[in-house]
Amino acid sequence: SSDLQKFYVLYYIIGYIWGLETLGMIFQFTVSFCTVSWYFTPCRNDMTKTQVDTKLWRKGTIYAFRYHLGSLALGAAMTSLFRPIHGVMAMIAKQHKFLERHSTNVVVANCMCCVWCFEEVVRYINNNAIVYMVLNSGSFFGSAGSAVKTLSKAPKEINSVNGITGNFHSIGLLAVASLIAYFAFATLGGLPMFSSQDSTWYVDDRVAAVICTGLLAAGVSSCFMALFDVVFDSLLFCWLADTAKGEVSFAPKSLQDVLGDPRTR
């Protein structure tokens, strides 16, 4: 193949990944928009929420395309660039004090470089930027910086639970993918229509089919688990915005029971 053909393939791969990330950002924006709209709907007299319009997601999608498509596309590019290293650098940043006491100077210098890069760049690239964009209708980088500042001023118990659903996301994804892959393996080996060579539906390479099934299940489950991530983080930022003056105006009683009274903090 020629260099031009290689360039076309590379261009297609980059465009494909960027497109998927942009669609993911639009999905997150729409979910966060619906969550924020629900939260800031006034409560009933018994401190419960009324139901929001089931077509609200359409309004959120329109807002994403009409007012924030450029910011979401930019955020998607940054997310796809830093996604492979985000988790590793976050772990190093949390453990840098331990590494300083138990490692050589060269290792410490490399770790501090990673910590600096994470603190200045990588930690801004997450779902919080999208949530803050929904709340304040700003640019991606402006929203990312403001989200970090907001969390830095939040109570420790609130700050510590931000992003905690990422652990459940990973556990849920792994559990669903493993369970579906196991059922696929058992089905392909236990049913004659798939295991008998005389059958029209005979599967020659069972391992490859199971791997593909597991990856597909992981992709589908990731979409559902991401929904919980965005809703959880959106509720936290709504709570921080609602209680900025020390009072609760829009939080339902069930959420107040979980997060407590801001006047006692």
Side-chain angles (χ1 to χ4, degrees):
S1 59
S2 64
D3 293 338
L4 183 60
Q5 289 175 327
K6 294 179 180 178
F7 172 77
Y8 285 155
V9 172
L10 180 62
Y11 182 83
Y12 174 82
I13 293 174
I14 293 176
Y16 179 74
I17 295 175
W18 190 11
L20 287 180
E21 290 287 355
T22 302
L23 290 176
M25 286 286 185
I26 294 172
F27 167 77
Q28 293 177 20
F29 183 95
T30 303
V31 172
S32 182
F33 181 89
C34 295
T35 304
V36 170
S37 299
W38 172 85
Y39 183 96
F40 287 104
T41 300
C43 296
R44 300 189 184 99
N45 294 332
D46 59 353
M47 296 303 295
T48 60
K49 288 288 187 180
T50 59
Q51 290 186 350
V52 296
D53 187 2
T54 57
K55 298 180 180 179
L56 186 62
W57 65 271
R58 298 181 182 179
K59 186 176 181 180
T61 305
I62 292 174
Y63 273 38
F65 277 98
R66 184 173 182 179
Y67 300 109
H68 299 285
L69 184 59
S71 296
L72 294 175
L74 177 61
M78 298 299 296
T79 300
S80 59
L81 181 64
F82 288 103
R83 185 187 297 278
I85 62 174
H86 188 280
V88 176
M89 298 189 70
M91 182 180 65
I92 294 175
K94 291 181 179 179
Q95 301 296 329
H96 75 278
K97 292 183 178 180
F98 174 82
L99 295 173
E100 286 179 357
R101 295 193 299 266
H102 298 84
S103 303
T104 63
N105 293 334
V106 176
V107 175
V108 171
N110 290 329
C111 291
M112 293 307 297
C113 179
C114 292
V115 170
W116 178 87
C117 184
F118 179 81
E119 293 291 335
E120 297 297 326
V121 180
V122 180
R123 69 172 179 154
Y124 293 86
I125 314 300
N126 53 30
N127 294 340
N128 298 337
I130 304 299
V131 177
Y132 207 90
M133 187 187 301
V134 173
L135 284 170
N136 297 276
S137 191
S139 64
F140 179 80
F141 287 116
S143 299
S146 298
V148 173
K149 293 179 182 178
T150 300
L151 285 176
S152 65
K153 299 177 182 178
K156 291 183 179 180
E157 56 270 24
I158 300 296
N159 198 355
S160 61
V161 298
N162 177 251
I164 196 173
T165 50
N167 298 328
F168 297 103
H169 186 154
S170 302
I171 295 173
L173 188 151
L174 181 62
V176 171
S178 301
L179 184 62
I180 297 300
Y182 171 77
F183 277 120
F185 184 82
T187 301
L188 293 178
L191 294 180
M193 64 180 299
F194 297 121
S195 59
S196 176
Q197 296 185 1
D198 298 330
S199 173
T200 306
W201 303 98
Y202 171 68
V203 178
D204 183 45
D205 194 345
R206 185 167 53 164
V207 175
V210 169
I211 292 175
C212 292
T213 303
L215 292 176
L216 182 61
V220 174
S221 63
S222 180
C223 296
F224 286 95
M225 298 306 297
L227 180 67
F228 293 106
D229 290 349
V230 177
V231 170
F232 185 83
D233 292 338
S234 298
L235 287 176
L236 280 183
F237 274 91
C238 288
W239 170 265
L240 293 175
D242 188 20
T243 60
K245 297 182 179 180
E247 297 181 357
V248 182
S249 302
F250 294 95
K253 186 179 184 303
S254 57
L255 188 60
Q256 293 184 39
D257 293 339
V258 174
L259 298 179
D261 190 342
R263 291 172 292 186
T264 63
R265 301 184 187 281

